[in-house]
Amino acid sequence: MNMNSRLRRSSIEPIIRYYETSKEIDSMLEKTLASKREILERMNMNLNLNHNYWMEHCDVASKASTCRVKIACVIVRDNILLGIGYNGSASGDDHCADIGCLFVENPIAGSGSTGKSCIRTIHAEMNAVLKCTARGNKKDGWLVSYSSYQPCLNCTKALIQIGVRTFVWKTPYKDEWRDLYMVSLSHKIRLEQVLESFQLNED
């Protein structure tokens, strides 16, 4: 290596080291600012907007249900209501409350022990999905759904599709296919995106 090469190299190395150090400092500052933002968000958080609060929304909305079981679902993000739905027939169709439920044999899923399910009604979760005004994602944040009953297979898939990653429900709902589907979900959804589903116990 000649003298000119050594001089050029020695003049560049401090710049490279400075650049790397600057990147490290920037990274540290970003982490610090993110921590401060998180603390401020927690300080400004309304502690009344908790799981019980949103489940109470389900209790009220479920009173509008027109099927035999009163069920509702609300979808939120950052404690902002994005969608709400309750059990009911398709728009313009007759209601179960008026002409009775349209039952089919269904030993796989159901809210009761009869082995039958009503196929006239659109589930509360599906109605909430249809009315939801936003989608959950890694950048903007994932969604949370609150349901009177544990969502069935099809409702679970629809909720996951729009970005729900936390399922909160009050009453268990039997669905063997849903249970199989949930444990078969990819590592990315279950672990990286922190999928969770739990029953909210009444105080």
Side-chain angles (χ1 to χ4, degrees), residues 42-57 79 146:
R42 289 179 179 177
M43 289 175 62
N44 294 327
M45 186 181 296
N46 183 344
L47 298 179
N48 293 319
L49 300 177
N50 52 31
H51 291 324
N52 290 315
Y53 171 84
W54 292 112
M55 195 59 76
E56 287 175 5
H57 276 61
N79 284 320
Y146 295 86

PDB file of all heavy atoms in Angstrom, residues 42-57 79 146:
ATOM      1  N   ARG A  42     -49.827   6.210  28.606  1.00  0.00           N
ATOM      2  CA  ARG A  42     -50.376   5.552  29.785  1.00  0.00           C
ATOM      3  C   ARG A  42     -50.888   6.557  30.796  1.00  0.00           C
ATOM      4  O   ARG A  42     -51.899   6.349  31.443  1.00  0.00           O
ATOM      5  CB  ARG A  42     -49.305   4.652  30.428  1.00  0.00           C
ATOM      6  CG  ARG A  42     -48.983   3.406  29.612  1.00  0.00           C
ATOM      7  CD  ARG A  42     -47.917   2.577  30.278  1.00  0.00           C
ATOM      8  NE  ARG A  42     -47.621   1.379  29.513  1.00  0.00           N
ATOM      9  CZ  ARG A  42     -46.690   0.497  29.841  1.00  0.00           C
ATOM     10  NH1 ARG A  42     -45.947   0.691  30.925  1.00  0.00           N
ATOM     11  NH2 ARG A  42     -46.493  -0.576  29.095  1.00  0.00           N
ATOM     12  N   MET A  43     -50.151   7.696  30.923  1.00  0.00           N
ATOM     13  CA  MET A  43     -50.569   8.740  31.864  1.00  0.00           C
ATOM     14  C   MET A  43     -51.891   9.357  31.436  1.00  0.00           C
ATOM     15  O   MET A  43     -52.719   9.733  32.271  1.00  0.00           O
ATOM     16  CB  MET A  43     -49.491   9.818  31.949  1.00  0.00           C
ATOM     17  CG  MET A  43     -48.228   9.369  32.664  1.00  0.00           C
ATOM     18  SD  MET A  43     -46.936  10.617  32.617  1.00  0.00           S
ATOM     19  CE  MET A  43     -47.712  11.955  33.511  1.00  0.00           C
ATOM     20  N   ASN A  44     -52.092   9.473  30.105  1.00  0.00           N
ATOM     21  CA  ASN A  44     -53.314  10.084  29.592  1.00  0.00           C
ATOM     22  C   ASN A  44     -54.445   9.079  29.395  1.00  0.00           C
ATOM     23  O   ASN A  44     -55.519   9.426  28.937  1.00  0.00           O
ATOM     24  CB  ASN A  44     -53.020  10.776  28.253  1.00  0.00           C
ATOM     25  CG  ASN A  44     -52.085  11.966  28.441  1.00  0.00           C
ATOM     26  OD1 ASN A  44     -52.128  12.626  29.464  1.00  0.00           O
ATOM     27  ND2 ASN A  44     -51.232  12.214  27.459  1.00  0.00           N
ATOM     28  N   MET A  45     -54.191   7.808  29.713  1.00  0.00           N
ATOM     29  CA  MET A  45     -55.173   6.767  29.476  1.00  0.00           C
ATOM     30  C   MET A  45     -56.348   6.892  30.447  1.00  0.00           C
ATOM     31  O   MET A  45     -56.157   7.108  31.648  1.00  0.00           O
ATOM     32  CB  MET A  45     -54.520   5.387  29.640  1.00  0.00           C
ATOM     33  CG  MET A  45     -55.432   4.224  29.283  1.00  0.00           C
ATOM     34  SD  MET A  45     -54.600   2.632  29.540  1.00  0.00           S
ATOM     35  CE  MET A  45     -53.287   2.746  28.330  1.00  0.00           C
ATOM     36  N   ASN A  46     -57.539   6.754  29.910  1.00  0.00           N
ATOM     37  CA  ASN A  46     -58.740   6.735  30.735  1.00  0.00           C
ATOM     38  C   ASN A  46     -58.920   5.319  31.251  1.00  0.00           C
ATOM     39  O   ASN A  46     -59.252   4.409  30.498  1.00  0.00           O
ATOM     40  CB  ASN A  46     -59.947   7.166  29.896  1.00  0.00           C
ATOM     41  CG  ASN A  46     -61.220   7.248  30.717  1.00  0.00           C
ATOM     42  OD1 ASN A  46     -61.308   6.722  31.827  1.00  0.00           O
ATOM     43  ND2 ASN A  46     -62.227   7.923  30.184  1.00  0.00           N
ATOM     44  N   LEU A  47     -58.689   5.122  32.528  1.00  0.00           N
ATOM     45  CA  LEU A  47     -58.724   3.780  33.102  1.00  0.00           C
ATOM     46  C   LEU A  47     -60.123   3.173  33.101  1.00  0.00           C
ATOM     47  O   LEU A  47     -60.281   1.967  33.315  1.00  0.00           O
ATOM     48  CB  LEU A  47     -58.167   3.809  34.534  1.00  0.00           C
ATOM     49  CG  LEU A  47     -56.703   4.247  34.653  1.00  0.00           C
ATOM     50  CD1 LEU A  47     -56.264   4.260  36.116  1.00  0.00           C
ATOM     51  CD2 LEU A  47     -55.798   3.335  33.830  1.00  0.00           C
ATOM     52  N   ASN A  48     -61.143   4.005  32.856  1.00  0.00           N
ATOM     53  CA  ASN A  48     -62.513   3.475  32.784  1.00  0.00           C
ATOM     54  C   ASN A  48     -62.764   2.732  31.479  1.00  0.00           C
ATOM     55  O   ASN A  48     -63.704   1.944  31.374  1.00  0.00           O
ATOM     56  CB  ASN A  48     -63.533   4.613  32.930  1.00  0.00           C
ATOM     57  CG  ASN A  48     -63.506   5.219  34.324  1.00  0.00           C
ATOM     58  OD1 ASN A  48     -63.400   4.512  35.309  1.00  0.00           O
ATOM     59  ND2 ASN A  48     -63.575   6.541  34.389  1.00  0.00           N
ATOM     60  N   LEU A  49     -61.921   3.000  30.474  1.00  0.00           N
ATOM     61  CA  LEU A  49     -62.073   2.332  29.177  1.00  0.00           C
ATOM     62  C   LEU A  49     -61.327   1.000  29.214  1.00  0.00           C
ATOM     63  O   LEU A  49     -60.275   0.832  28.604  1.00  0.00           O
ATOM     64  CB  LEU A  49     -61.542   3.220  28.053  1.00  0.00           C
ATOM     65  CG  LEU A  49     -62.221   4.578  27.899  1.00  0.00           C
ATOM     66  CD1 LEU A  49     -61.553   5.380  26.798  1.00  0.00           C
ATOM     67  CD2 LEU A  49     -63.701   4.397  27.601  1.00  0.00           C
ATOM     68  N   ASN A  50     -61.898   0.046  29.921  1.00  0.00           N
ATOM     69  CA  ASN A  50     -61.255  -1.248  30.091  1.00  0.00           C
ATOM     70  C   ASN A  50     -62.106  -2.348  29.463  1.00  0.00           C
ATOM     71  O   ASN A  50     -63.109  -2.079  28.798  1.00  0.00           O
ATOM     72  CB  ASN A  50     -61.018  -1.526  31.574  1.00  0.00           C
ATOM     73  CG  ASN A  50     -62.295  -1.350  32.404  1.00  0.00           C
ATOM     74  OD1 ASN A  50     -63.396  -1.579  31.912  1.00  0.00           O
ATOM     75  ND2 ASN A  50     -62.144  -0.947  33.645  1.00  0.00           N
ATOM     76  N   HIS A  51     -61.719  -3.598  29.676  1.00  0.00           N
ATOM     77  CA  HIS A  51     -62.450  -4.724  29.084  1.00  0.00           C
ATOM     78  C   HIS A  51     -63.924  -4.726  29.510  1.00  0.00           C
ATOM     79  O   HIS A  51     -64.817  -4.992  28.701  1.00  0.00           O
ATOM     80  CB  HIS A  51     -61.802  -6.046  29.493  1.00  0.00           C
ATOM     81  CG  HIS A  51     -60.457  -6.275  28.876  1.00  0.00           C
ATOM     82  ND1 HIS A  51     -60.140  -5.884  27.587  1.00  0.00           N
ATOM     83  CD2 HIS A  51     -59.333  -6.863  29.365  1.00  0.00           C
ATOM     84  CE1 HIS A  51     -58.898  -6.215  27.312  1.00  0.00           C
ATOM     85  NE2 HIS A  51     -58.379  -6.804  28.371  1.00  0.00           N
ATOM     86  N   ASN A  52     -64.168  -4.443  30.773  1.00  0.00           N
ATOM     87  CA  ASN A  52     -65.550  -4.455  31.266  1.00  0.00           C
ATOM     88  C   ASN A  52     -66.404  -3.381  30.594  1.00  0.00           C
ATOM     89  O   ASN A  52     -67.585  -3.596  30.309  1.00  0.00           O
ATOM     90  CB  ASN A  52     -65.575  -4.263  32.792  1.00  0.00           C
ATOM     91  CG  ASN A  52     -65.034  -5.465  33.536  1.00  0.00           C
ATOM     92  OD1 ASN A  52     -65.371  -6.605  33.222  1.00  0.00           O
ATOM     93  ND2 ASN A  52     -64.176  -5.235  34.522  1.00  0.00           N
ATOM     94  N   TYR A  53     -65.793  -2.224  30.350  1.00  0.00           N
ATOM     95  CA  TYR A  53     -66.510  -1.129  29.695  1.00  0.00           C
ATOM     96  C   TYR A  53     -66.992  -1.549  28.315  1.00  0.00           C
ATOM     97  O   TYR A  53     -68.162  -1.348  27.955  1.00  0.00           O
ATOM     98  CB  TYR A  53     -65.590   0.086  29.591  1.00  0.00           C
ATOM     99  CG  TYR A  53     -66.143   1.215  28.745  1.00  0.00           C
ATOM    100  CD1 TYR A  53     -67.023   2.141  29.284  1.00  0.00           C
ATOM    101  CD2 TYR A  53     -65.773   1.346  27.407  1.00  0.00           C
ATOM    102  CE1 TYR A  53     -67.523   3.187  28.516  1.00  0.00           C
ATOM    103  CE2 TYR A  53     -66.261   2.386  26.634  1.00  0.00           C
ATOM    104  CZ  TYR A  53     -67.137   3.300  27.187  1.00  0.00           C
ATOM    105  OH  TYR A  53     -67.635   4.320  26.415  1.00  0.00           O
ATOM    106  N   TRP A  54     -66.092  -2.152  27.527  1.00  0.00           N
ATOM    107  CA  TRP A  54     -66.471  -2.532  26.169  1.00  0.00           C
ATOM    108  C   TRP A  54     -67.420  -3.726  26.159  1.00  0.00           C
ATOM    109  O   TRP A  54     -68.282  -3.827  25.277  1.00  0.00           O
ATOM    110  CB  TRP A  54     -65.223  -2.818  25.341  1.00  0.00           C
ATOM    111  CG  TRP A  54     -64.420  -1.577  25.080  1.00  0.00           C
ATOM    112  CD1 TRP A  54     -63.187  -1.261  25.557  1.00  0.00           C
ATOM    113  CD2 TRP A  54     -64.839  -0.449  24.303  1.00  0.00           C
ATOM    114  NE1 TRP A  54     -62.801  -0.018  25.123  1.00  0.00           N
ATOM    115  CE2 TRP A  54     -63.799   0.505  24.341  1.00  0.00           C
ATOM    116  CE3 TRP A  54     -65.992  -0.153  23.568  1.00  0.00           C
ATOM    117  CZ2 TRP A  54     -63.873   1.716  23.678  1.00  0.00           C
ATOM    118  CZ3 TRP A  54     -66.055   1.071  22.901  1.00  0.00           C
ATOM    119  CH2 TRP A  54     -65.011   1.982  22.960  1.00  0.00           C
ATOM    120  N   MET A  55     -67.300  -4.588  27.148  1.00  0.00           N
ATOM    121  CA  MET A  55     -68.242  -5.705  27.228  1.00  0.00           C
ATOM    122  C   MET A  55     -69.646  -5.207  27.580  1.00  0.00           C
ATOM    123  O   MET A  55     -70.645  -5.800  27.164  1.00  0.00           O
ATOM    124  CB  MET A  55     -67.767  -6.731  28.252  1.00  0.00           C
ATOM    125  CG  MET A  55     -68.470  -8.070  28.139  1.00  0.00           C
ATOM    126  SD  MET A  55     -68.270  -8.864  26.516  1.00  0.00           S
ATOM    127  CE  MET A  55     -66.595  -9.483  26.631  1.00  0.00           C
ATOM    128  N   GLU A  56     -69.710  -4.123  28.319  1.00  0.00           N
ATOM    129  CA  GLU A  56     -71.017  -3.522  28.612  1.00  0.00           C
ATOM    130  C   GLU A  56     -71.669  -3.017  27.331  1.00  0.00           C
ATOM    131  O   GLU A  56     -72.899  -3.043  27.195  1.00  0.00           O
ATOM    132  CB  GLU A  56     -70.852  -2.383  29.625  1.00  0.00           C
ATOM    133  CG  GLU A  56     -70.562  -2.870  31.038  1.00  0.00           C
ATOM    134  CD  GLU A  56     -70.274  -1.732  32.007  1.00  0.00           C
ATOM    135  OE1 GLU A  56     -70.393  -0.546  31.583  1.00  0.00           O
ATOM    136  OE2 GLU A  56     -69.937  -2.007  33.165  1.00  0.00           O
ATOM    137  N   HIS A  57     -70.862  -2.546  26.379  1.00  0.00           N
ATOM    138  CA  HIS A  57     -71.396  -2.160  25.073  1.00  0.00           C
ATOM    139  C   HIS A  57     -72.057  -3.366  24.401  1.00  0.00           C
ATOM    140  O   HIS A  57     -73.115  -3.241  23.771  1.00  0.00           O
ATOM    141  CB  HIS A  57     -70.282  -1.615  24.168  1.00  0.00           C
ATOM    142  CG  HIS A  57     -69.973  -0.168  24.378  1.00  0.00           C
ATOM    143  ND1 HIS A  57     -69.519   0.328  25.572  1.00  0.00           N
ATOM    144  CD2 HIS A  57     -70.055   0.896  23.530  1.00  0.00           C
ATOM    145  CE1 HIS A  57     -69.337   1.632  25.460  1.00  0.00           C
ATOM    146  NE2 HIS A  57     -69.648   2.005  24.240  1.00  0.00           N
ATOM    147  N   ASN A  79     -58.957   1.944  22.233  1.00  0.00           N
ATOM    148  CA  ASN A  79     -60.177   2.363  22.938  1.00  0.00           C
ATOM    149  C   ASN A  79     -61.055   3.292  22.108  1.00  0.00           C
ATOM    150  O   ASN A  79     -61.746   4.168  22.645  1.00  0.00           O
ATOM    151  CB  ASN A  79     -59.823   3.023  24.279  1.00  0.00           C
ATOM    152  CG  ASN A  79     -59.427   1.992  25.319  1.00  0.00           C
ATOM    153  OD1 ASN A  79     -60.033   0.930  25.407  1.00  0.00           O
ATOM    154  ND2 ASN A  79     -58.419   2.292  26.110  1.00  0.00           N
ATOM    155  N   TYR A 146     -64.752  -7.637  21.154  1.00  0.00           N
ATOM    156  CA  TYR A 146     -65.455  -8.043  22.368  1.00  0.00           C
ATOM    157  C   TYR A 146     -66.773  -8.680  21.943  1.00  0.00           C
ATOM    158  O   TYR A 146     -67.538  -8.061  21.199  1.00  0.00           O
ATOM    159  CB  TYR A 146     -65.720  -6.839  23.276  1.00  0.00           C
ATOM    160  CG  TYR A 146     -64.466  -6.204  23.830  1.00  0.00           C
ATOM    161  CD1 TYR A 146     -63.776  -5.237  23.101  1.00  0.00           C
ATOM    162  CD2 TYR A 146     -63.966  -6.581  25.068  1.00  0.00           C
ATOM    163  CE1 TYR A 146     -62.610  -4.660  23.607  1.00  0.00           C
ATOM    164  CE2 TYR A 146     -62.811  -6.008  25.582  1.00  0.00           C
ATOM    165  CZ  TYR A 146     -62.140  -5.044  24.845  1.00  0.00           C
ATOM    166  OH  TYR A 146     -61.000  -4.485  25.344  1.00  0.00           O
TER     167      TYR A 146
END
